[in-house]
Amino acid sequence: MISNYGFFVLPCFIIFCTTMLSNHMDPLGRHGADVNQLTMILDPSEENPKTISPAVDDSWRSFGALVRKVKNKKECPKDSPLCLRGYFRNCEGNGHLTPFFEFRWAYFFNDAFTRGCNSEESLWDSSQDCLKFYDAYTSLPDVGLTPILKIDVGPWMEAAALLVPLCRGNKAGNYVLPDHLGKPYAGKKLPGYVPGDTQILKDDPDCFSPECPELAIFVSTA
């Protein structure tokens, strides 16, 4: 659905990442093309890939956007069909958008998937809700490098709707992004969290561009 990767040759990768690190920025990525693997900080002096793998779909980043578009015509007012969407993408106090707003939620979804439905570490309030999403997610077709306009988004939206209980659960409200993610994620709670069945009766506001003294990029090192 949404790609967060690109082509880089070795010199570009090293220069890019070392520049980020020298400016107190942490480049994040995955080893290989397994999008279910949690992201981590990449050290260019240790990775040294000859090339960065071609663009692949990042399902979790896709869900980070799709949960904002989930409609509930049965429970929501006619003029607010998105009232029970996953979260509220609000602005920070200075009117700017939180940097990498949807990437933070994407990591949370990815983390919840890796922890499973029945373990003590599960991030779902309900194992049944978890299993419903797991079944839907693992049944999604592999889009590969399919052009975005040719992808049937119906099954993806259905799976995104099943993530809403995770977004609005108690564990999501208490979730803190882990320290190993580095800046600007580490130690932060999920932005825009809305609990339970609280209805969001207004559109997400238009925010100024994020102020990003600390950035992150997602790359693949297959």
Side-chain angles (χ1 to χ4, degrees):
M1 290 288 289
I2 298 177
S3 172
N4 302 301
Y5 304 94
F7 291 98
F8 291 87
V9 295
L10 175 59
C12 294
F13 173 75
I14 295 176
I15 293 172
F16 188 76
C17 289
T18 53
T19 300
M20 292 182 69
L21 291 167
S22 67
N23 286 278
H24 309 291
M25 309 172 190
D26 294 310
L28 302 180
R30 295 182 176 95
H31 295 277
D34 180 5
V35 297
N36 293 324
Q37 180 188 63
L38 289 171
T39 54
M40 62 189 70
I41 295 175
L42 299 179
D43 185 342
S45 66
E46 295 181 359
E47 303 296 338
N48 276 350
K50 293 182 179 179
T51 61
I52 304 302
S53 67
V56 295
D57 173 59
D58 187 332
S59 305
W60 306 110
R61 173 60 183 83
S62 298
F63 284 127
L66 293 177
V67 294
R68 296 178 48 232
K69 300 174 175 63
V70 172
K71 295 181 180 180
N72 190 322
K73 295 182 179 180
K74 292 183 179 181
E75 302 293 336
C76 294
K78 290 183 178 180
D79 59 347
S80 300
L82 303 177
C83 79
L84 291 174
R85 60 189 182 273
Y87 58 84
F88 180 59
R89 198 181 71 173
N90 53 354
C91 306
E92 295 188 329
N94 59 6
H96 291 265
L97 183 66
T98 300
F100 306 102
F101 203 114
E102 292 173 354
F103 278 101
R104 300 172 192 238
W105 281 94
Y107 184 89
F108 171 66
F109 298 153
N110 192 174
D111 193 9
F113 180 79
T114 61
R115 296 192 191 202
C117 300
N118 296 310
S119 71
E120 293 183 358
E121 296 183 348
S122 175
L123 294 175
W124 290 78
D125 290 355
S126 165
S127 61
Q128 291 184 340
D129 288 339
C130 176
L131 289 169
K132 289 179 182 178
F133 170 76
Y134 184 90
D135 289 342
Y137 175 67
T138 54
S139 298
L140 289 172
D142 182 7
V143 298
L145 298 178
T146 305
I148 187 67
L149 295 179
K150 293 186 178 181
I151 296 175
D152 180 6
V153 299
W156 288 84
M157 285 304 306
E158 291 174 4
L162 296 174
L163 277 174
V164 171
L166 173 65
C167 296
R168 290 167 165 262
N170 293 327
K171 293 180 181 178
N174 295 320
Y175 185 79
V176 176
L177 291 162
D179 291 341
H180 70 256
L181 287 181
K183 299 176 181 178
Y185 300 94
K188 304 291 186 180
K189 286 194 170 185
L190 295 169
Y193 168 74
V194 178
D197 57 359
T198 302
Q199 295 189 356
I200 307 170
L201 298 177
K202 54 184 177 180
D203 296 335
D204 292 344
D206 293 326
C207 307
F208 295 112
S209 298
E211 293 184 328
C212 300
E214 301 165 347
L215 302 176
I217 186 171
F218 284 68
V219 296
S220 174
T221 58

